[in-house]
Every structure is written in structure tokens, then in C-alpha cells.
Amino acid sequence: MAAEPTETATLRPVEPAEPLSGPGRRVESYWVRLRSLVHGAPVLTGVMVAAFLVAAIFAPWIAPHDPGAASFLVALNPPFWVEGGSIAYPLGADQLGRDILSRLIYGAQLSLIVSFFAIVIAGSVGIVLGLTAGYVGGAIDSLIMRIVDAFLAMPFILMALGFVAALGTSVTNIVIVMAITNWARYARLVRGEVLSVKERDFVALARVAGQPRWRIVWKHVLPNVTNSIIILATLDLGRVIILEASLSFLGLGVQPPAISWGLMLADGRSYMTVAWWLTVMPGLAILFTVLSLNIMGDWLRDRLDPRQRIE
Amino acid sequence: MAEPILEVQSLCTHLPTKRGLVRAVDGVSFSVRPGEIVGVVGESGCGKSTLCFSLVRLLPDTAQHSGRILFRGEDLLAKSREEMRAIRGKDITMVLQNPMTALDPVYTVGNQLREILRFNADMTPGERTRRAIEMLRQVHIPSPEERLENYPHQMSGGMKQRVLTAMATGLKPGLLLADEPTTALDVTIQEQILGLFAEIRDRLGTAIILVTHDLGVVRRLCDRVLIMYAGRIIETGETEAIFQEPQHPYTRALLASIPKMGEERTRLQAIAGQIPDLTGLPPGCSFEPRCPRAMEICRTTYPPAFARGPGREARCWLHEEAGAT
Amino acid sequence: MTRYIVRRLLQTVVTAIFVTVIVFSLARLTGDPTLLILPTEATEADRTFFRRQLGLDRSLPEQYLTFLGNALRGDLGVSFRYREPALDLVLSRLPATLELAAASMALAVIVALPIGILAAIRRGSYLDVGTRWFATLGQSTPTFWLGLVLMLIFAVRLGWLPSSGRGGIEYLILPAVTLGWYSAAAIARLTRSSMLEMMQNDFIRFERLAGLPERVIVLKHALKNAAIPIITYMALQFGVLLSGAVVTEQVFAWPGLGQVVVEAINTRDYPVIQAAVLVTAFLFLLINLAVDLLYSWLDPRIRY
């Protein structure tokens, strides 16, 4: 709580009040800015996100086994710390004797591909439509926003299922479906930000100065919405990972031999009572990945969006 | 002369923050007699609002207090939470700076008036309604019965400040704290509200502490003035005496910054320099960096209060020859 | 007031029309339905005849208008598989899903509101930290996995609750906890932040100055002011619940809409998919409309 309410003082000092301590106003080097940005970052979370990225990108070099190689000798072997487990299959083996750890690592790859591309596409479409709606206004704005409303009104998973049923279950199609089901929130976010930025002095000034519209949008409006987009995108990575896993779990996502955490869960379900690790391991993989992404997103929000400091 | 209703003795209020300990109020002593209107004047951030909230003990739990706040002879700093709650709203009340945001927008004015009566007085619901109407009438709100059913957004700023004043004075408090009560209002409305304060003082004998940076308001209404700078009181005295013969260079600068009659209001003569950071005050006089008459001693030693006539003090080495009080 | 309602209704109608456009395109994206309906040995003449019968030989706008006209009369086509009206099929399963969603919502609100409020007024306490963890964790848990784990623990290992099916209240507990988990976390988080924001208002300060007890300040004033964002969010969560029910129902063999949909997708029963998507989307729109109209009661400043 601030000790002093701000006042419109008749006695305002000539110099703008500036804290004596704290960062100076001189131009900071890029490195200093980067350091101050990273300062206070949740380290463990960062490590987990990094682990996820490394696993996803370098899967073939990291995975101890071929994820598709079945060996009936080790079928349903438990994790190494459980009696009967071995360190060769550290997280156990599934019903066909495939290494769970290796499959989790390859599963990370699919999760990353789907969520990353889906958000890039959804974000781009959303940004363009949101900027257009917010900046042009009028009938175009109403039209776009009603479409956005319509997409937001559709039950998320049902809509995704409908599109998957229509398009098919290849990885590309899953990406497209995720993009279709996610773009609307970016459009709404960007439009809202544009409307609030638009009224500020510097944009009005640029208009008066006769700058072309697209230039104003590009130079003045977009940088102001970037932070919000980064925050939403980080949080969305997690959401899309869960959504993809949900589709796979229902058997309506990517099909074997593709490896998805959701598929692993669905397969392991029948063995739940005899081999819990088949369901628990992929579940934990999803949980920890999404959890770290969410913590990261929250941290970014605290860091980049001063209006949300209250969180 | 009547016994003071409020006596503050070397009150310190320190607020721990990330940047360090803010000495928002630093050894303040003064007293207020019943029916007296005392102005507290200073620039933004000088600690005058914190002083008010210290008096009613409504700062965050982390705030550190020392000294004594004697209200009717009892130390408020020794009171429990519940005892303080009973005092607030009944014996000590406060009017805030911005009437536009001080009422809950989702309840009617009547609801909020009755609620205050419910928790501060022993009345039946019927009595509360009658009293609420009476309270509105006292602050000259026309057709108060109908106004009870209004929501805050259906009232003007001046009207809301009247309602808030009614809430703050309806139970005949001994002391009313007014934190910049007119800053957010139009000039004509300001006049009316100030008139209302004077009337309340005359009718109820309520002592009023009026926090403001508007010296015009002070001259119009206050019996006595405390000039605050960087958490301390640097000059006190009767209003006229201070306006006629300011003793502290800071007070002089403040008075010089009042626009003269006919002069444009925007062309204010500001005081050069900025108010000091309350986390790390220098050992000497806190005004020294901005003072046109700074001396060597000002840099090293904080001045004690020097008597400057009856009821007048100033903390400035220029008056050393008069001797400390 | 009336003007606002009319405008809001119009908006909802326009949005609903776009929903039907999306659902219609969904059906047209699937390609030639005769490949699904008719046996593989059907002749090209049969197919052409069939297409004409379904109106597929006409232009897309014409087809859409027919679709819309039929939909307005409650005709969403006939299930390929069951040979009965798709809408009837969906509506017959809707109550089970609504029961599940309502139970989840009730559970979420009962848990989330108190802890959100307490976390806000005891900011920085263990309870607050715990609430924030619950909020983040809850929003990171995959629903279906939580369902499986709960089932494994409470149905399989402990045997306290039935693992699947619909019946008495004991059948409802696990699915409702599973489905409500995410929403509880989300609502707790929003309640906390809205309450924190409201507690910083000037009027809260004034009420403290006026000697009101903290309990009244929090529960009567801060909470009612925070109600609009919280209730709006709850309406949004209801959509999340309707959608999430598809997965939860699958885990617990709950005989609701979700089961029909998954089955319909596996058998390419498009009319049923369309009907399910349309019905849930409309339900969601109606709830949001109702909530919007509720605002004027919550906040007298909204005078349309």
C-alpha cells in the first residue's frame, strides 16, 4: 500500500522527482537489461522448461532406446527404484517392452512441435485480425469481433474434435486444428490493447503528423501489445500441450506409430491396476511441463505487465 | 484554555519498504484543542497523510510507531485493534481527498449511512433511517429522504463530499481529520465544503485537522498551522502570524508560491529542487539542499525548535540566538 | 435498459449465426458424405442421386441457408448410425452432462471462493501461498490424467467410490472433482486477484475509517464489487466445463454428451457432431447472455 496518495500539488518541484537509489536513467547496456530481466526468475522452472526443450529438439541423441523397439523380455518392467526394475529402463517399460523414458522424450518432441506451430499460426492470425479490428474500427471491427465471439463460444474440445474429424489426424492437421481453436483470444487481446493504446497521445501525434496507418500500427501500436502477447503465448503453450494430449487420449489425435504423451496414457490405461507407471509417468511429464510453462508465464506477467502486478 | 483533545508526543512512523526504511513521520509533537481547526501544510510526500493515518492506526501492519498519541488523555498506540475500531467512525473520523471514489458504488447512500450508524451507535433500524435523513439535512442536502435511495454515481462530487462529511460528523466526533478534502473539487464547491467545516466546528465543537497543500484554504479556515517538511514539523504558529511573518525559509518559499490576486493560476512560483528521499535523510537540516540561506551548521546538525513568540516555533538555525525551547 | 437488452440480444443472435456458419463449414470440410453413407459398391448414378437428395448439388450459400432454415426448425439432420434425429439424440444425453457440469461448478465455487477471499485478506500468509500453488497446479493438471489417478486411488485401491457409470451421488463425486479441479483453481486465482484489487479501493479505506468491522468490509463491500469479474469468469468456466466433460465422461464412462460425440466422431456421424457442437455453443451463449443481464442487478452504475 502506498503511504502517500498522489496529489496534484501546487508546489510541485521543478525537477521531476526521481528516486535517489534504484536504477539510474542513463542508457543501460543490453546486458544489464537482460540481467535485470532474468533477475528473480524461477530457476527450477527455467531448468525444467529448458529440459523440455532440449529433450524435444535433441530427442534422437538423448533417448537411451529406440522408442519403437519392443522387447517382450522387459514388457511391463517397473521403474528402477521399484523391485524388479532395472536402470537400463529407468522409468520402466510399457506393455510391449518399449522404454518409457525414450518414449517420453519423443513425446516431448511432438508436444513442442504441435504447441509451437499452433501458437505461431494462431498468434499471427489473431494479431493481424485484432490489429485490423482495433485500428480500423466500425463495421469491420464488429464483424471480426462477432466471429471472435463465435469461436470463443464454441466448446473448446468439441470444436477441436469436430475439426479433427473433418480434417484427419496427421500432425499437420492437429497443428491446424489447434490454431483454429486458439486464434480468437489473441485477436481479442490485441484489439483491446489497440483500443487503449490508440487513444494515447503519441499515436494521436503520429496521426496528426500524417504518418501512414500501417506505419503507425507497426511502429507504435504493436510494440505496446508485444508483452501481452508473449505472456498469453507462454501460457497457451501449456494449454495446447494438454489439449493435444486430450485428443490423443480420446484416440482422436495423432495415430501410432507417432508418439504422444496422451496416447501413452490411453494405452497404459488398461494396465493401470498392474503397472501404474504406464499412466503416471506420461501424466507427470505433462503436469511438470505445463506447470513450468505456467509458472514462467505468471512470472513474465509480473515482470512485463505492470497492470497485473497485483497477482 | 481548554485541555487539548489530542496531544501527539514525539510520534515517529517508519515504514519498511524494499528501498529501505521510510521515515514518513519523524518525531512530531503537537496538540489540538476542542473546536480548533489546525492546518497541516506541506508538499506531496512530506508525510502529512501518513501522519493522519497514524493517528487512526490504519497503516499497514508493517508500520513501526513510537511516541504517544494521547486522545482524551488515552494513548491510541496502546489500544487494541477492536478498541481502535470502536474509536474510528465515532470519536475520530476522517474525510478523504477524492469524494468520487470514497463511497461504495454498488450500495445506496442510505445503505452506507445506516451501516455506519449500525456499527457505531446503538439504534433501532427505524432510528437509523431517521438519523440518516437528519445527517443529510445537517450538511444541507436538499430532499434528503429521496437522496437516501440514490447511488453514489447519481450524485455530483460536491454532493458526495457532503455525504462523506455527514458520515464523518453525524455522530459528533471529537476530532475530524480532513485529508485534502477540497483538492478534487471545483472552486465554488470548495468554498461550500469549507463553509460546512466551519459550521460543523461552531455547532459541534469538533476539532479539525485539515491536511492540505493549499495555503488559501488554510488562511480561510485554520486557527493554527503546522508546516511539515520531510516528516517533521518545521514551523508552527497562529495562522495570521505565519502569514504575516514566516520564520522558516521553507515557509517563506511556500508563501511566495501562492499566486497573487489577478495573476494567472498556472504560473506558480515553484520552489527549486526536490523533496528529499525519506529513506536516507542527511544528518543536518533536511531543507538545507534547497535553502537559499543555508549555513555551515545546517549541513551537519538538525536544528531544534526555537521559540519565536507566543505559541510559535521554528526549526531553523537562523533563529538560534532566540534559544531552544 | 430495454435498449441494452435489445442490443445484447442482437449481438448474441449475430454471434449465434456465426456459430452456425462454423458448424456448417465443419460439415462441408469433411468431403463427400455419400462415401460414408452409401456402401462402397454403390454406383456413380446412386451417388449423384443421393447428393441431389441431400441438396449437395446446389451452391454453398444455398446449402447454408437450407441448413440454417432446418436448424431453426430444430432439424439438424438424422444420425447416420442410429437413424434418428441428431438433435433428439443429443438432447437425450444432455441432462447427464449438465448434471456433471453443474456438480463440478458447485464444487469449484464452494472450494474456490472461500480460499480465494481468505488468500486475499491474508496476503502473504501460508494460506495465500498455498492458494497460489493450488491455482497454478490446478491449471496445469491434465483432466483425464487426474481422473485416472483419482480412480486408481479411490476406486481401485481404496474401493471407496465406484469407478464408472452413473447412479447415485457416489457416482458423481470422482467425475465432479476431476472436472471441477481446473475451474476451482482458476476461480480461486481470479477471486484472489479481484479481491486484492477491490481491497485497494478508496471506499474500503473510508469504511475502515468509519469504523466498520473488517468482516463487513470484506464480505459486504469488497466481495460485491468483485462479483462482476468473478461471475463473468464463472460463466466462462461453465463453457470450459461443458467442453472438458467430453474427456471426463470418457474416463468415467459417464453416459453424457461427450460419449455420444466421441462415438460419433469414430463413426463419422456428422449430423450428431454438428448437433452436439451447436447445442453446447448455444448453451454457452445463453449463459453468457444471462450473466450480462445480471450485471445491472450487481452494479447499479450499469444503466444501459
Side-chain angles (χ1 to χ4, degrees):
Chain A
M1 193 202 271
E4 287 277 4
T6 45
E7 302 167 333
T8 44
T10 50
L11 287 174
R12 194 168 293 290
V14 177
E15 297 288 317
E18 209 182 312
L20 294 181
S21 57
R25 287 183 94 190
R26 245 162 252 132
V27 183
E28 295 162 330
S29 73
Y30 185 73
W31 172 243
V32 170
R33 279 181 56 190
L34 189 74
R35 222 173 38 186
S36 84
L37 182 76
V38 172
H39 179 74
V43 177
L44 190 65
T45 310
V47 169
M48 276 166 57
V49 172
F52 167 67
L53 292 177
V54 168
I57 296 166
F58 301 105
W61 292 277
I62 294 175
H65 296 267
D66 175 351
S71 159
F72 289 104
L73 292 174
V74 294
L76 297 181
N77 258 18
F80 72 90
W81 64 86
V82 177
E83 209 186 319
S86 81
I87 200 75
Y89 293 84
L91 298 181
D94 69 4
Q95 68 279 9
L96 299 176
R98 298 174 296 194
D99 179 36
I100 289 181
L101 178 64
S102 305
R103 293 179 68 75
L104 286 182
I105 291 171
Y106 275 88
Q109 194 166 49
L110 183 85
S111 288
L112 179 68
I113 290 173
V114 170
S115 56
F116 177 78
F117 287 106
I119 285 167
V120 168
I121 298 173
S124 314
V125 173
I127 290 167
V128 170
L129 289 177
L131 282 176
T132 312
Y135 209 84
V136 177
I140 304 263
D141 180 28
S142 301
L143 181 75
I144 293 178
M145 288 323 286
R146 290 297 82 72
I147 297 175
V148 164
D149 282 350
F151 269 89
L152 290 175
M154 308 281 283
F156 212 61
I157 293 179
L158 277 180
M159 177 165 52
L161 287 178
F163 278 106
V164 168
L167 295 171
T169 55
S170 72
V171 175
T172 318
N173 284 339
I174 299 287
V175 169
I176 292 171
V177 168
M178 297 291 164
I180 293 175
T181 47
N182 275 296
W183 67 272
R185 278 172 316 125
Y186 289 86
R188 200 172 58 171
L189 171 85
V190 171
R191 172 185 176 265
E193 295 275 337
V194 172
L195 287 187
S196 71
V197 168
K198 204 164 105 172
E199 299 312 318
R200 284 200 232 151
D201 289 348
F202 60 92
V203 174
L205 221 73
R207 276 182 103 152
V208 173
Q211 287 195 29
R213 225 172 223 192
W214 62 266
R215 206 181 134 81
I216 297 174
V217 169
W218 187 254
K219 268 196 69 179
H220 300 282
V221 177
L222 204 56
N224 277 290
V225 302
T226 323
N227 284 350
S228 312
I229 293 168
I230 291 174
I231 294 162
L232 183 61
T234 311
L235 295 171
D236 259 2
L237 279 174
R239 281 163 41 93
V240 172
I241 288 175
I242 288 189
L243 191 61
E244 183 277 321
S246 303
L247 291 189
S248 296
F249 176 76
L250 294 174
L252 302 166
V254 293
Q255 301 298 316
I259 300 164
S260 152
W261 290 341
L263 263 178
M264 290 174 71
L265 254 162
D267 287 346
R269 200 181 157 184
S270 338
Y271 302 88
M272 206 166 70
T273 48
V274 290
W276 52 268
W277 51 95
L278 264 56
T279 40
V280 170
M281 293 305 167
L284 287 179
I286 301 172
L287 178 63
F288 283 128
T289 307
V290 177
L291 185 64
S292 0
L293 286 168
N294 282 345
I295 294 175
M296 196 73 113
D298 286 346
W299 176 76
L300 280 173
R301 190 202 319 258
D302 290 348
R303 196 76 213 178
L304 300 176
D305 193 349
R307 281 165 306 168
Q308 302 276 347
R309 277 284 152 78
I310 206 148
E311 277 282 321
Chain B
M1 204 173 271
E3 279 294 299
I5 188 166
L6 177 79
E7 203 175 344
V8 176
Q9 298 172 348
S10 8
L11 175 69
C12 291
T13 302
H14 294 175
L15 304 163
T17 65
K18 275 180 191 162
R19 296 199 297 118
L21 195 65
V22 173
R23 296 163 191 275
V25 176
D26 205 14
V28 162
S29 303
F30 64 95
S31 62
V32 181
R33 286 185 295 278
E36 195 180 24
I37 301 184
V38 175
V40 177
V41 179
E43 288 166 281
S44 304
C46 72
K48 52 195 199 300
S49 285
T50 310
L51 174 64
C52 278
F53 282 97
S54 296
L55 296 182
V56 287
R57 302 266 312 278
L58 270 180
L59 288 168
D61 289 340
T62 51
Q64 303 158 3
H65 299 283
S66 68
R68 297 213 291 173
I69 302 171
L70 298 175
F71 178 72
R72 290 184 173 141
E74 291 177 52
D75 189 0
L76 296 184
L77 289 178
K79 297 273 183 199
S80 71
R81 239 172 226 274
E82 197 41 43
E83 286 169 330
M84 272 317 292
R85 191 194 69 68
I87 290 172
R88 285 196 295 263
K90 192 172 161 205
D91 298 314
I92 305 180
T93 56
M94 189 157 160
V95 179
L96 292 175
Q97 178 175 7
N98 190 352
M100 303 311 285
T101 52
L103 287 165
D104 187 335
V106 303
Y107 291 100
T108 61
V109 166
N111 185 322
Q112 296 179 61
L113 272 163
R114 284 192 296 266
E115 187 178 42
I116 287 175
L117 295 176
R118 190 177 144 215
F119 290 106
N120 290 301
D122 195 15
M123 292 184 192
T124 64
E127 284 170 352
R128 278 181 221 143
T129 305
R130 276 196 299 281
R131 184 62 172 275
I133 293 169
E134 179 55 29
M135 280 158 73
L136 291 186
R137 187 167 290 133
Q138 293 284 339
V139 293
H140 312 301
I141 288 179
S143 48
E145 293 87 354
E146 288 154 42
R147 283 297 179 182
L148 282 189
E149 302 312 313
N150 277 181
Y151 285 96
H153 71 274
Q154 294 165 315
M155 293 184 157
S156 66
M159 187 81 86
K160 276 187 229 180
Q161 195 62 298
R162 277 171 197 275
V163 170
L164 291 164
T165 311
M167 286 173 166
T169 56
L171 290 166
K172 303 188 172 55
L175 176 65
L176 170 67
L177 309 175
D179 187 4
E180 308 268 5
T182 56
T183 310
L185 301 173
D186 289 343
V187 183
T188 47
I189 312 287
Q190 278 187 15
E191 280 298 306
Q192 294 171 10
I193 297 291
L194 293 177
L196 190 60
F197 280 178
E199 188 190 323
I200 284 161
R201 186 262 303 267
D202 296 343
R203 195 175 68 232
L204 305 176
T206 302
I208 301 175
I209 295 180
L210 185 73
V211 171
T212 184
H213 58 257
D214 187 342
L215 288 161
V217 170
V218 170
R219 192 162 201 182
R220 162 118 165 52
L221 205 61
C222 297
D223 304 313
R224 238 157 20 92
V225 185
L226 316 174
I227 310 283
M228 269 188 95
Y229 188 80
R232 291 158 174 154
I233 294 175
I234 51 134
E235 183 167 357
T236 62
E238 305 279 325
T239 308
E240 270 318 299
I242 288 212
F243 274 82
Q244 296 305 329
E245 290 171 90
Q247 299 294 313
H248 197 287
Y250 177 65
T251 313
R252 262 182 228 138
L254 273 182
L255 291 175
S257 71
I258 305 178
K260 304 284 180 300
M261 274 296 235
E263 208 174 328
E264 278 209 35
R265 251 197 170 266
T266 48
R267 284 185 55 231
L268 286 179
Q269 190 189 338
I271 304 171
Q274 53 185 287
I275 55 161
D277 182 5
L278 292 177
T279 55
L281 287 176
C285 176
S286 34
F287 188 59
E288 179 269 327
R290 292 166 80 184
C291 186
R293 301 181 61 183
M295 302 177 291
E296 193 49 44
I297 189 169
C298 302
R299 253 185 287 281
T300 54
T301 320
Y302 191 78
F306 297 109
R308 300 298 299 157
R312 294 213 60 189
E313 286 177 358
R315 284 178 180 269
C316 180
W317 287 116
L318 289 173
H319 308 299
E320 191 182 3
E321 72 283 2
T325 50
Chain C
M1 183 80 190
T2 351
R3 253 190 66 194
Y4 173 79
I5 294 180
V6 169
R7 219 187 72 206
R8 195 64 192 71
L9 275 173
L10 272 176
Q11 254 183 19
T12 305
V13 168
V14 175
T15 307
I17 289 173
F18 278 114
V19 168
T20 60
V21 173
I22 298 170
V23 171
F24 171 77
S25 2
L26 210 62
R28 287 301 158 267
L29 278 173
T30 55
D32 188 354
T34 65
L35 295 175
L36 288 163
I37 303 168
L38 298 182
T40 37
E41 63 270 19
T43 64
E44 193 49 43
D46 290 340
R47 291 186 192 282
T48 312
F49 173 75
F50 207 85
R51 275 188 209 112
R52 179 160 306 148
Q53 232 190 3
L54 286 175
L56 295 176
D57 55 338
R58 284 176 292 159
S59 72
L60 275 178
E62 264 182 285
Q63 285 185 42
Y64 170 72
L65 286 179
T66 317
F67 167 80
L68 189 63
N70 289 340
L72 283 177
R73 277 184 279 110
D75 177 8
L76 291 172
V78 173
S79 161
F80 296 162
R81 188 177 149 97
Y82 293 99
R83 304 279 163 213
E84 54 176 300
L87 187 63
D88 293 356
L89 205 65
V90 166
L91 289 182
S92 71
R93 294 297 195 94
L94 193 61
T97 296
L98 286 181
E99 179 188 315
L100 177 57
S104 308
M105 183 55 111
L107 208 64
V109 170
I110 289 169
V111 172
L113 269 188
I115 65 170
I117 294 170
L118 281 172
I121 57 178
R122 304 251 176 281
R123 192 176 184 184
S125 67
Y126 287 112
L127 186 100
D128 183 23
V129 175
T131 303
R132 271 147 68 193
W133 266 102
F134 167 64
T136 314
L137 196 67
Q139 291 187 291
S140 310
T141 319
T143 311
F144 51 94
W145 182 70
L146 179 69
L148 290 177
V149 171
L150 290 179
M151 188 195 275
L152 188 65
I153 297 172
F154 293 100
V156 178
R157 287 280 152 85
L158 298 172
W160 292 352
L161 294 163
S163 66
S164 58
R166 184 180 178 215
I169 186 113
E170 70 272 21
Y171 285 89
L172 193 56
I173 296 173
L174 285 183
V177 170
T178 303
L179 184 55
W181 180 260
Y182 175 93
S183 297
I187 294 171
R189 181 197 192 104
L190 186 92
T191 303
R192 175 181 175 273
S193 62
S194 304
M195 286 296 283
L196 275 179
E197 198 185 319
M198 288 307 154
M199 292 299 284
Q200 309 213 322
N201 269 319
D202 256 14
F203 60 81
I204 298 288
R205 206 179 236 222
F206 184 76
E207 281 155 7
R208 288 201 177 117
L209 286 165
L212 299 190
E214 200 63 18
R215 163 181 51 89
V216 173
I217 295 177
V218 171
L219 294 180
K220 183 178 166 189
H221 294 280
L223 188 59
K224 192 171 175 190
N225 276 278
I228 285 192
I230 295 174
I231 290 177
T232 310
Y233 199 61
M234 283 179 188
L236 205 71
Q237 285 303 313
F238 199 76
V240 173
L241 289 176
L242 280 179
S243 173
V246 177
V247 181
T248 309
E249 285 175 8
Q250 202 62 23
V251 173
F252 292 99
W254 187 266
L257 204 57
Q259 290 228 318
V260 180
V261 173
V262 172
E263 190 191 273
I265 289 172
N266 279 321
T267 55
R268 313 267 143 182
D269 198 346
Y270 293 110
V272 176
I273 301 175
Q274 278 185 5
V277 175
L278 214 53
V279 165
T280 35
F282 276 28
L283 211 59
F284 181 72
L285 281 178
L286 283 179
I287 287 168
N288 274 284
L289 183 66
V291 166
D292 266 14
L293 298 180
L294 194 75
Y295 288 166
S296 69
W297 174 71
L298 284 170
D299 189 343
R301 278 169 300 182
I302 301 175
R303 270 288 163 266
Y304 317 127

